[in-house]
Amino acid sequence: APAACSSGPGPQRRAALAAAGGLGLGALWSTLMGNRASAEEAGAAATGEPRVSESGYNVTPLPRSEVKELASSLPRLSQDVLLREATERPFSGQTADKSAQHNTKAKGTWISAVSNVPLFSSDAKFESGTGWPSFYAPVDEQHVTLKTDRSIPFMTRTEVLDARSGTHLGHVFDDGPAPTGMRYCLNAAALKFVPEGQELPPQK
């Protein structure tokens, strides 16, 4: 069974890391996982042009001051998770708008509680047994950013952030199901849920 959201690389990835040699576990893990913050983002920032995802969303990073203002109306737990990288208690998560629990099986789209950018679909959601909403892929890889997280001593993890607001969502691990083998382990408090058939709100 998958470990909780403080886990590191799974057995298959650990074997690859050991075989590679030379690089530290954390550094190679981050290299293999990749970082969605690409040269394309840097180029967009340099030219001042908006960065638009393949799905048609503006994922140009918002100013931190605007992010804080947008988050100020959310519940305290959501603010702690989004802005201060807190983690909600397992098996207790509720979306920022109280529209869904962590274990809902309803069809719909999970969006950023700050930017309203669609992040994950119920079609990619699975029961991981960890007590946090888990998905095997985002709706668009350009909607999330991956970042090396060394906040726990002697443990390197890969943090998942909303690309538009830069806010904390959770972490990603390589012990998920097919077809990707990945487990995006997220905090429900960092998200909102839009039921299938309901129009997605405009992004911020």
Side-chain angles (χ1 to χ4, degrees):
C5 287
S6 60
S7 160
Q12 292 181 340
R13 193 61 56 89
R14 282 198 298 269
L17 295 175
L23 282 176
L25 179 66
L28 188 50
W29 164 241
S30 296
T31 300
L32 289 171
M33 288 297 299
N35 192 320
R36 302 297 186 260
S38 63
E40 179 184 339
E41 294 180 40
T47 61
E49 297 178 359
R51 178 172 176 259
V52 180
S53 71
E54 292 183 4
S55 301
Y57 283 83
N58 184 351
V59 289
T60 308
L62 290 168
R64 188 65 174 176
S65 58
E66 186 174 346
V67 171
K68 289 182 177 180
E69 182 179 349
L70 290 171
S72 64
S73 62
L74 299 175
R76 176 58 185 270
L77 175 59
S78 294
Q79 294 184 48
D80 286 343
V81 170
L82 291 160
L83 303 177
R84 293 177 281 278
E85 296 83 43
T87 301
E88 67 193 15
R89 289 185 296 108
F91 303 101
S92 69
Q94 184 180 50
T95 55
D97 59 353
K98 304 188 187 315
S99 60
Q101 301 292 322
H102 68 94
N103 58 350
T104 183
K105 294 179 173 57
K107 291 288 187 179
T109 304
W110 299 72
I111 68 175
S112 164
V114 174
S115 70
N116 286 346
V117 170
L119 300 175
F120 294 87
S121 167
S122 60
D123 292 337
K125 191 172 187 287
F126 67 98
E127 179 52 60
S128 65
T130 62
W132 288 282
S134 299
F135 305 83
Y136 60 73
V139 296
D140 187 320
E141 290 190 349
Q142 294 176 316
H143 291 187
V144 297
T145 298
L146 303 184
K147 176 183 174 183
T148 300
D149 177 3
R150 296 189 176 90
S151 59
I152 298 179
F154 310 110
M155 179 182 292
T156 299
R157 297 177 295 169
T158 302
E159 181 183 9
V160 184
L161 304 99
D162 167 28
R164 175 67 165 160
S165 66
T167 52
H168 175 77
L169 302 173
H171 293 85
V172 61
F173 307 98
D174 71 338
D175 55 11
T180 66
M182 307 310 295
R183 172 172 59 96
Y184 290 81
C185 187
L186 309 180
N187 292 275
L191 306 166
K192 294 178 182 177
F193 181 73
V194 181
E196 188 175 66
Q198 184 173 317
E199 186 176 356
L200 294 175
Q203 75 163 103
K204 298 176 180 177

